[in-house]
Amino acid sequence: MNTQIYKIASFPLNLLVLPGEEVPLRIFEPRYKQLIEECLQEELPFGIPYEINGEPMGVGSEVEIVKLVGRNSNDDMVITIKGKSLFKAIDFIQTLPNKLYGGVLAELIDTDFTTTNPEIAVRVKSLKLNINSSLGTLVITDSINMLDIAKSIMLRTDEKYRFVTLKSKEARENYILKQLNFVEQIRKQESELENNFQLN
């Protein structure tokens, strides 16, 4: 597969947004207000390089603005963003020409996270996970997108990072199975607590 390196406006955060995932974002720094205003006007996506304590972790999310939720008198904004793709960060540009904000040279990460693992399919069905906005828990094909599972069980950002940076399909399947097992255990404990409460 030919890899293509491209340049995109950069808004580094301790945040990793999976493709199709929607999250709110508050904008208050002048440089990022400029970035968001331009993205709103020109309907452009922007990149969120994932960082921990200001240290770039080498991957990020390309996102688009779904909605401007509101702004205050200082022009601070709240927006809703949606993940488009994941990228590997090749290099960083501190400030783009004539801009207050920087950029990142990025290379798309292959987001084919599909699996035909029957154990995963069984867990998804037994937990009644909503992995498809139109089909819900219904699985009509032999393959399931593990990114949909990751969104459905609401992995933390550090867990998403660990998952998407795993090198093999088998490692990703094992990781998702481990997370599904954890969700199953939590639900069992919640059910036991509820039953005990009702008995008392």
Side-chain angles (χ1 to χ4, degrees), residues 123-159:
R123 292 295 170 85
V124 165
K125 289 177 182 177
S126 67
L127 290 169
K128 295 183 171 60
L129 295 181
N130 183 11
I131 60 168
N132 185 299
S133 58
S134 58
L135 298 175
T137 59
L138 182 63
V139 179
I140 60 170
T141 65
D142 293 332
S143 63
I144 301 173
N145 188 334
M146 289 184 283
L147 288 175
D148 290 337
I149 299 173
K151 286 181 288 188
S152 181
I153 60 178
M154 294 182 286
L155 293 182
R156 299 190 314 262
T157 288
D158 61 310
E159 293 170 334

Side-chain angles (χ1 to χ4, degrees), residues 16-95:
L16 194 62
V17 185
L18 299 178
E21 186 177 21
E22 291 190 16
V23 296
L25 198 59
R26 181 171 170 249
I27 318 296
F28 55 90
E29 289 187 57
R31 55 183 167 168
Y32 299 129
K33 288 181 189 178
Q34 183 190 66
L35 185 157
I36 297 305
E37 289 287 8
E38 292 177 2
C39 289
L40 284 167
Q41 289 170 12
E42 301 175 39
E43 297 184 353
L44 294 173
F46 63 94
I48 301 180
Y50 174 52
E51 61 178 25
I52 300 176
N53 297 324
E55 185 73 24
M57 303 308 293
V59 298
S61 312
E62 181 177 343
V63 302
E64 59 187 356
I65 301 171
V66 176
K67 183 181 180 182
L68 171 62
V69 178
R71 68 170 82 218
N72 64 17
S73 58
N74 294 324
D75 268 343
D76 295 349
M77 292 176 272
V78 174
I79 60 174
T80 303
I81 57 173
K82 183 177 182 178
K84 287 186 65 181
S85 61
L86 298 169
F87 61 77
K88 178 181 177 183
I90 306 298
D91 199 9
F92 296 92
I93 304 161
Q94 188 168 0
T95 310

